[in-house]
Amino acid sequence: MPSTLFDKLWRQHLVQELPGGTALVAIDRIFLHERTGSIALKSLRESGRPVLDRARVFCTMDHIVDTFPGRGDDTKLPGGRAFITETREAALEAGIHLFDVRDPNQGIVHVISPELGIVLPGATVVCPDSHTCTQGAMGAFAWGIGSTEAEHALATGTLRLAKPKTMRVRFEGALAPGVTAKDLSLLLIGTHGAVGGNGYVVEYAGSAVHALDVEARLTLCNMATEFSAVTGLIAPDEKTFAYLKGRSFAPQGAEWDRAVAAWRELKTDEGATFDREIVLDVSDLAPMVTWGTSPQHAVPVGARVPEQAASGTTPEAYDRALAYMDVQPGQALQELKIDAAFIGSCTNSRLSDLRRAAAVLKGRRVAPGVKAICVPGSMSVKRAAEAEGLDRVFLDAGFEWRESGCSMCFYAGGESFGKRERVVSSTNRNFESRQGPETRTHLASPETVAASAIAGRLADVREFA
Amino acid sequence: MDRFTVLTAVAAPLVRANVDTDAIIPSREMKTVSKTGLSAGLFAGWRYAEIGGRDPNPEFVLNRPGYAGARILLGGENFGCGSSREHAVWALHEYGFRAVVAPTFAPIFASNCIRNGVVPARVALEHVRELAAAVERDPVANAVTVDLEAKTVSAPGAGPYAFAIDDEAREMLLNGWDAIDLTLKYRPAIEAFVVRDRAERPWIYVAPRAAGERTTP
């Protein structure tokens, strides 16, 4: 019988069916970070249970660490230092792999995991972090869990799961210049709602996905959690294998050839059925931005704030979002003046993201009064960007150029934007107060953020070609 | 973990779509590497008059008369979306909540509830609204009952409504079981899997480092 990619991943990791409709699923990779991983390690130690296979457990410092040049263990976050030092101590004691504050491979978990070949096609990867779905772009079953589940995975090498339903989302057509994987995510959530993927593992497919490079695929899968999906994934292909070849933790030599042969089978068979299918024609898609406080409040950048009836939200939620964001129905989004611009996060902080933003910024200046910050996703991305002079482009345009970490996607390092400031951001969540108390976030692609920073208002990147 | 069978208690209506875990507990309220000391930060952005302050905002449901001692929360679509932080559930539990009734839950939040003895009961939105209406009429007299054995939720004048919850989650909550203890009983099956899998997918099995060896040379 033809199988979906997810069915194959499920079968390959099935240890045992359990009474009660769940199954024990083998976990290949566990990633931790200093905010939620620290508590899992500490709690496991207190329970007296050992880590089952420490060689397959990895830890980075990204969520608390700050991103200022010359940083160390101290952060502006009250108590931040303890998260870092306690995580380090617990990681060293457990004997797991640690990418510490000053490690040349330090970075955001979902940036460094692919970059180091830790996530591999066909692997199961878990992390106490909701954006673990990002890593599904490599053809892995990767999903976010809580700290207690992380303890379970550490102690048993498995998790108990009810088999999720499957959905395929096909993006068909060629993307116009200036339109990116981020815009695909915002289109999907904008048209099918922030709860549209609830209960499903979503396979992204179609000609537009096939055409994306690996880094863009990571961006697309990143926001599966904003769709309320269990996770997102993409069948691995020659681009995936070329990306992984030679990476530190990827297989080498004869083992590499054997792995690639196995990975070529990781695709949905012709005729396999999904519980749900969505097809979106994206050939006319424009760059997208959000106007409200949920990722589903997404519209093309040239649009106006929708009326309630067309907003896809209840009247109460709609009114609350308008008031919070200080926008009016019918207002053109491009009239909205911004106070700040942020490029970074596990969504959009990879080398290709920075290159595209830099192409917009080159020879231009950020509008007066706009605070603009770029935070590369990993130290490796930062070095590569500097090697090709991108840091100069950002700095000359008036952007800050930082060390890597989660940074102002939320409150990492204890840093946030000011009260009621309007921020255009390449991140994934425009929730109330996410980037700082009462901060108003508009989500967009890195090039839209760059264009908006120059214009001093939300802007269409296609006018900056 | 506490066992849960039937609970009748004051319920707090917060029937809003997409209540996220940043709203349940903001990052700035997670100050130590600990599962406790979090209830003061619960809904901090809405519950207090000022960001970072502790003067109550009288309009927020938990500060309104009649809602003291609430142990059941009535929520909207996609409750608990956003960050995976289990602190959201630890804060709810420490405050006293033992059940959240909502049409849909973000998957990680629902799983975190189950692992901490909090019942995530899925009930159609119109029924959540009926329960909320009954509670709003008189939160003390119209206490809500969550019956995990019968899988129903009701209030005087509303329901009972059947709620959905996964079978294993229900068993875990009814018995107060620890998932790790249960899973460790399958250790032989797990070990047999690893032996088989190592032969099939050797590249998954990273060689352990020697003591003191750094990950990045």
Side-chain angles (χ1 to χ4, degrees), chain A residues 324 339 416-423 433 435-440, chain B residues 49-52:
Chain A
Y324 183 87
D339 301 297
S416 53
F417 291 105
K419 259 193 179 180
R420 302 192 188 96
E421 283 187 1
R422 191 177 296 287
V423 184
S433 298
Q435 292 189 293
E438 298 176 40
T439 301
R440 296 164 176 148
Chain B
E50 288 282 328
I51 294 284

Side-chain angles (χ1 to χ4, degrees), chain A residues 22 29 49 96 147-148 258, chain B residues 33 86 168 181 199 204 209:
Chain A
T22 59
R29 300 279 182 265
R49 293 169 176 138
I96 64 176
S147 298
T148 303
R258 195 176 155 198
Chain B
V33 184
E86 198 161 323
E168 185 184 91
D181 284 342
I204 289 299
R209 287 169 302 125

Side-chain angles (χ1 to χ4, degrees), chain A residues 61-377:
Chain A
M61 305 281 194
D62 58 359
H63 271 64
I64 303 275
V65 69
D66 76 39
T67 55
F68 295 110
R71 65 173 172 198
D73 293 353
D74 287 315
T75 76
K76 290 170 109 174
L77 181 74
R81 186 186 175 88
F83 281 89
I84 293 171
T85 56
E86 288 182 36
T87 300
R88 175 181 300 133
E89 195 182 302
L92 291 175
E93 187 187 314
I96 64 176
H97 302 275
L98 173 66
F99 304 104
D100 209 337
V101 176
R102 292 205 168 84
D103 191 292
N105 286 322
Q106 179 272 347
I108 303 173
V109 43
H110 313 304
V111 176
I112 68 173
S113 179
E115 193 172 87
L116 295 168
I118 292 169
V119 56
L120 296 171
T124 46
V125 182
V126 295
C127 174
D129 188 279
S130 58
H131 289 108
T132 308
C133 52
T134 310
Q135 302 187 40
M138 308 303 291
F141 177 28
W143 73 104
I145 56 175
S147 298
T148 303
E149 288 285 77
E151 261 185 80
H152 188 290
L154 288 164
T156 71
T158 65
L159 282 175
R160 307 169 77 93
L161 279 189
K163 191 177 178 191
K165 293 179 286 183
T166 56
M167 181 191 295
R168 180 162 59 187
V169 176
R170 280 168 40 210
F171 293 101
E172 297 292 356
L175 294 182
V179 182
T180 69
K182 178 65 157 282
D183 305 304
L184 296 180
S185 278
L186 291 174
L187 171 73
L188 174 65
I189 301 165
T191 50
H192 288 82
V195 75
N198 194 268
Y200 294 93
V201 165
V202 179
E203 180 178 345
Y204 296 108
S207 58
V209 174
H210 188 70
L212 295 177
D213 63 31
V214 169
E215 294 190 350
R217 292 176 186 182
L218 291 160
T219 297
L220 177 59
C221 287
N222 175 267
M223 288 183 68
T225 188
E226 276 68 43
F227 192 44
S228 198
V230 174
T231 190
L233 46 84
I234 295 174
D237 61 10
E238 297 307 317
K239 288 184 196 176
T240 320
F241 311 146
Y243 173 95
L244 284 169
K245 195 170 168 66
R247 306 238 172 213
S248 304
F249 286 87
Q252 317 284 337
E255 202 165 80
W256 168 261
D257 297 335
R258 195 176 155 198
V260 170
W263 295 342
R264 290 211 166 94
E265 304 301 315
L266 296 173
K267 56 184 180 225
T268 292
D269 298 329
E270 198 72 41
T273 55
F274 291 81
D275 296 301
R276 188 159 178 223
E277 287 224 52
I278 292 175
V279 182
L280 292 164
D281 177 358
V282 295
S283 40
D284 292 329
L285 185 64
M288 303 284 285
V289 291
T290 59
W291 59 267
T293 54
S294 163
Q296 76 182 18
H297 300 152
V299 291
V301 67
R304 294 169 180 275
V305 175
E307 302 291 333
Q308 189 271 322
S311 72
T313 53
T314 60
E316 310 96 289
Y318 176 76
D319 289 343
R320 198 180 162 87
L322 286 185
Y324 183 87
M325 294 300 290
D326 190 29
V327 295
Q328 308 300 323
Q331 188 171 16
L333 284 159
Q334 290 191 45
E335 283 171 12
L336 292 173
K337 291 207 161 45
I338 57 164
D339 301 297
F342 180 77
I343 295 176
S345 87
C346 56
T347 319
N348 279 125
S349 64
R350 298 177 182 83
L351 188 59
S352 56
D353 296 317
L354 305 191
R355 281 179 182 153
R356 296 196 317 275
V360 176
L361 294 173
K362 198 169 173 72
R364 296 187 169 111
R365 288 281 305 171
V366 167
V370 172
K371 182 184 176 81
I373 299 174
C374 177
V375 180

Side-chain angles (χ1 to χ4, degrees), chain B residues 3-173:
Chain B
R3 296 171 60 157
F4 189 111
T5 46
V6 182
L7 171 67
T8 300
V10 172
L14 192 63
V15 190
R16 249 179 225 178
N18 304 316
V19 169
D20 62 84
T21 53
D22 281 82
I24 298 172
I25 186 157
S27 294
R28 62 180 179 278
E29 297 288 347
M30 295 157 33
K31 292 168 185 156
T32 61
V33 184
S34 174
K35 299 179 181 181
T36 59
L38 296 163
S39 58
L42 181 68
F43 295 119
W46 295 337
R47 185 171 153 202
Y48 303 119
E50 288 282 328
I51 294 284
R54 286 294 184 259
D55 292 334
N57 163 15
E59 286 171 21
F60 186 63
V61 61
L62 297 181
N63 298 326
R64 282 164 46 199
Y67 291 100
R71 303 188 74 195
I72 297 167
L73 195 62
L74 304 178
E77 290 277 10
N78 206 19
F79 193 91
C81 62
S83 157
S84 69
R85 62 187 69 164
E86 198 161 323
H87 306 72
V89 175
W90 294 327
L92 285 166
H93 186 274
E94 189 175 284
Y95 185 91
F97 287 107
R98 292 296 178 272
V100 185
V101 178
T104 44
F105 292 93
I108 306 172
F109 178 83
S111 162
N112 287 340
C113 282
I114 293 154
R115 296 292 179 247
N116 288 280
V118 175
V119 175
R122 296 196 299 275
V123 172
L125 182 59
E126 70 256 36
H127 295 156
V128 178
R129 289 199 192 282
E130 292 288 326
L131 292 163
V135 168
E136 296 275 4
R137 284 194 290 274
D138 185 341
V140 179
N142 294 344
V144 170
T145 298
V146 174
D147 184 336
L148 185 57
E149 278 184 330
K151 292 203 280 185
T152 59
V153 55
S154 59
Y161 306 114
F163 69 75
I165 187 166
D166 294 343
D167 291 343
E168 185 184 91
R170 180 170 165 274
E171 283 289 297
M172 292 268 188
L173 290 161

